[in-house]
Amino acid sequence: MLEEKIKQLKEETIKKISEVANLEQLRELEIYFLGRKGELTKILRTLGDLSIEERAKAGDLANKIKNELTLEIQKARQNLGEKTDGSSEKEWIDVTAVKEKEEFGHLHPISIVQYELEDIFTSMGFMVLDGPELESDYYNFEALNIPSWHPARDMQDTFYVEGENLLMRTQTSSMQVRAMEKYGAPLRVVVPGRCFRNEATDVRHEHTFYQLEGFMVGKDISVANLKAVLEVVAKKLYGDDTKVKLRPKFYPFVEPGINGEVTCFLCKGKGCRVCKNTGWLEIFGAGLIHPNVLKFGKIDSKKWSGFAFGFGLTRLAMLKYEIDDVRLLCGGDLRFLKQF
Ligand code: DAH
């Protein structure tokens, strides 16, 4: 009976070996039949029930068959391409082959400028926050002192989303009141991020662009603090001889509102094509946070004051790399992107 079983197993194994298609299957087969927990071992475990004579006979047979099968598997292995040293034909390496050039990814020009600014601001104790791109009318406008009837809404052509009072944020300033609500005063925050406006696109306008918003709330914060911080930033970005010029401009969420310019990094103020011969580059809007905005953020404007500013990240990247068409930045054209 037992001999019968052993012979059957041999037959079965030989048949299976002939059907095997690759080394991996062969290895599985070997484990299944000859492994420590394999079929042959299972049969040999039952030897104990036999008489000594029968046991010796069956044991001999089992060993013989085990050797035969091991040999068969060895042969099959060679046929399937494994060399005697254990390596495989398939692993053959042509050491003279020329390797194709590897392509590495790299940062997008806007990310480069963004990370550079984040580094400068975090070194001054600002935290970096992210905010929703699909924003409520409340945080994007209302809480920034721009009620629905206010003509300032016309400054920003907005993508409104049907129902729900939602819109695609037109400015990263939308994070001001969110951050105030969450962290209270004192506060130092920058918010880089994507903004959207319903623009007719041309070389200078794009419906999707990037800004970096910043604000600080503390005791006795004035325009002097704003200027000091932005001067550090401008010098780090464009060199120690860079100056910052502040001029009045209206923004509903600051009072006074400021238009910020820095010395042109290319001509150092002499006048060139980058600065349109003015010697200055307009790169940020700013001001002292309006008391109404602090109130929306649940911060007592009698105790605290603050400044805010907004950089056009897209514009900074365009200036830095002398990119003359804004549409290239988000156009996904590799011929353009590979240059950075
Ligand atoms: N959010 C303004 C814009 O998109 C830029 C800006 C102006 C941000 C003045 C500010 C600010 O924080 O104080 O045009």
Side-chain angles (χ1 to χ4, degrees):
M1 265 306 280
L2 196 64
E3 281 170 34
E4 222 23 60
K5 263 195 188 164
I6 296 175
K7 278 184 188 152
Q8 238 174 33
L9 185 69
K10 175 185 164 184
E11 236 104 277
E12 196 188 333
T13 314
I14 288 186
K15 183 161 170 280
K16 287 258 167 72
I17 290 175
S18 71
E19 290 164 359
V20 149
N22 56 42
L23 286 169
E24 221 170 285
Q25 283 179 9
L26 187 66
R27 178 81 192 124
E28 279 167 20
L29 202 67
E30 185 177 20
I31 293 169
Y32 180 72
F33 287 110
L34 302 179
R36 267 195 311 121
K37 292 179 184 161
E39 292 300 301
L40 189 63
T41 317
K42 274 189 209 159
I43 294 175
L44 291 178
R45 286 231 175 89
T46 61
L47 283 180
D49 307 336
L50 302 175
S51 69
I52 296 180
E53 221 171 277
E54 280 173 322
R55 203 188 299 168
K57 222 166 125 199
D60 272 352
L61 182 66
N63 270 335
K64 203 173 128 225
I65 285 179
K66 187 172 182 176
N67 290 338
E68 276 175 35
L69 290 180
T70 308
L71 213 65
E72 286 300 319
I73 286 175
Q74 193 55 37
K75 264 197 244 161
R77 187 165 281 142
Q78 275 168 24
N79 287 341
L80 286 170
E82 188 171 282
K83 295 197 203 138
T84 37
D85 64 359
S87 67
S88 152
E89 281 295 340
K90 284 202 214 118
E91 285 174 27
W92 180 80
I93 293 169
D94 177 1
V95 290
T96 65
V98 179
K99 189 166 165 291
E100 258 181 55
K101 198 169 150 242
E102 225 167 289
E103 296 222 26
F104 290 100
H106 59 81
L107 292 177
H108 188 280
I110 291 179
S111 306
I112 297 173
V113 177
Q114 176 186 330
Y115 295 162
E116 203 177 337
L117 280 167
E118 282 180 12
D119 281 349
I120 299 172
F121 281 109
T122 46
S123 78
M124 291 192 281
F126 284 71
M127 54 179 171
V128 181
L129 294 185
D130 234 354
E133 293 176 348
L134 179 62
E135 183 54 282
S136 66
D137 188 281
Y138 177 75
Y139 287 114
N140 196 84
F141 288 131
E142 291 277 335
L144 288 171
N145 207 27
I146 315 171
S148 58
W149 48 264
H150 199 288
R153 290 226 177 183
D154 292 347
M155 288 161 73
Q156 304 183 352
D157 275 328
T158 308
F159 289 116
Y160 287 95
V161 175
E162 261 178 58
E164 316 265 347
N165 254 339
L166 291 174
L167 47 81
M168 298 306 290
R169 71 170 172 201
T170 58
Q171 49 188 351
T172 41
S173 313
S174 56
M175 276 299 286
Q176 285 191 20
V177 169
R178 280 183 180 278
M180 289 175 199
E181 284 175 345
K182 184 159 182 190
Y183 298 103
L187 192 59
R188 265 180 270 181
V189 176
V190 286
V191 188
R194 204 153 58 141
C195 303
F196 310 85
R197 288 186 201 177
N198 188 5
E199 304 272 7
T201 56
D202 60 31
V203 289
R204 301 200 321 123
H205 298 90
E206 174 65 295
H207 49 69
T208 303
F209 55 96
Y210 288 76
Q211 291 190 337
L212 181 129
E213 181 82 10
F215 41 96
M216 174 170 180
V217 178
K219 292 264 188 244
D220 302 321
I221 297 291
S222 70
V223 174
N225 302 103
L226 167 71
K227 187 157 193 242
V229 167
L230 291 176
E231 249 165 19
V232 170
V233 176
K235 288 189 165 138
K236 282 252 171 76
L237 275 182
Y238 299 133
D240 275 344
D241 45 0
T242 309
K243 291 197 174 65
V244 172
K245 183 159 80 174
L246 306 180
R247 292 187 301 169
K249 180 170 178 183
F250 172 73
Y251 293 102
F253 35 89
V254 277
E255 180 59 41
I258 290 165
N259 177 31
E261 291 171 295
V262 299
T263 323
C264 175
F265 58 85
L266 196 65
C267 63
K268 301 288 174 205
K270 287 192 207 77
C272 68
R273 88 201 119 75
V274 170
C275 59
K276 301 210 184 73
N277 281 320
T278 61
W280 296 93
L281 298 170
E282 268 186 56
I283 59 168
F284 60 91
L288 293 186
I289 301 176
H290 198 289
N292 286 352
V293 176
L294 290 173
K295 204 189 285 170
F296 278 116
K298 317 242 170 354
I299 289 176
D300 184 350
S301 62
K302 294 209 178 64
K303 281 202 206 139
W304 303 94
S305 55
F307 64 74
F309 56 85
F311 283 95
L313 270 187
T314 301
R315 180 161 156 71
L316 287 183
M318 287 178 74
L319 288 169
K320 177 171 174 135
Y321 297 107
E322 294 191 56
I323 298 165
D324 55 11
D325 188 339
V326 64
R327 294 168 296 188
L328 290 166
L329 284 161
C330 293
D333 187 335
L334 288 179
R335 288 169 304 177
F336 167 73
L337 291 173
K338 277 183 175 167
Q339 298 174 62
F340 300 96

